[in-house]
Amino acid sequence: QVQLVESGGGLVQPGGSLRLSCAASGSIFSINDVGWYRQAPGKQRELVAAMITSGGRTNYADSVKGRFTISRDKAKNTVYLQMNSLKPEDTAVYYCHVEGLSYGLDHLDYWGQGTQVTVSS
């Protein structure tokens, strides 16, 4: 079983920065991709940033391109989301996600518990 623990959320002013962390514990045979999603009140959960682990290729939502950066520290089993130039519309609960295969070759999807990001003056 794999558990994802998120941290780094909080309250920041517009234009400020935050770095979210997603630490994994447990075991998994392989990880195909990792990502960050967010869900604001009254809205559907949306993909913010994703990374294909094999080649490091990344994908970002248009609304965050140039401001957010997803990265991974394999040695620390941690995924990060660096968020700069934050806007009020970035306010949401952010969830990390890991997709891969178990040692039994079952497809696995793991989600973090969510961390609140609030951008307000």
Side-chain angles (χ1 to χ4, degrees), residues 36-104:
W36 288 92
Y37 293 73
R38 68 185 181 188
Q39 187 167 20
K43 295 185 177 181
Q44 291 186 317
R45 186 175 299 183
E46 65 173 341
L47 176 66
V48 176
M51 173 184 289
I52 300 174
T53 57
S54 61
R57 189 170 68 183
T58 57
N59 183 46
Y60 297 93
D62 289 340
S63 60
V64 307
K65 285 182 179 178
R67 300 188 297 119
F68 290 11
T69 303
I70 185 173
S71 62
R72 181 191 181 199
D73 188 330
K74 187 176 181 180
K76 296 181 178 179
N77 296 315
T78 302
V79 180
Y80 303 97
L81 183 67
Q82 179 66 46
M83 304 184 293
N84 298 324
S85 301
L86 284 162
K87 304 175 181 180
E89 50 263 45
D90 294 319
T91 296
V93 177
Y94 285 71
Y95 300 89
C96 65
H97 174 258
V98 173
E99 181 270 330
L101 297 175
S102 72
Y103 282 95

Side-chain angles (χ1 to χ4, degrees), residues 2 13 18 20 30 66-67 74 88 93 109 114 121:
V2 174
Q13 296 184 18
L18 283 175
L20 305 183
S30 66
R67 300 188 297 119
K74 187 176 181 180
V93 177
D109 286 286
S121 60

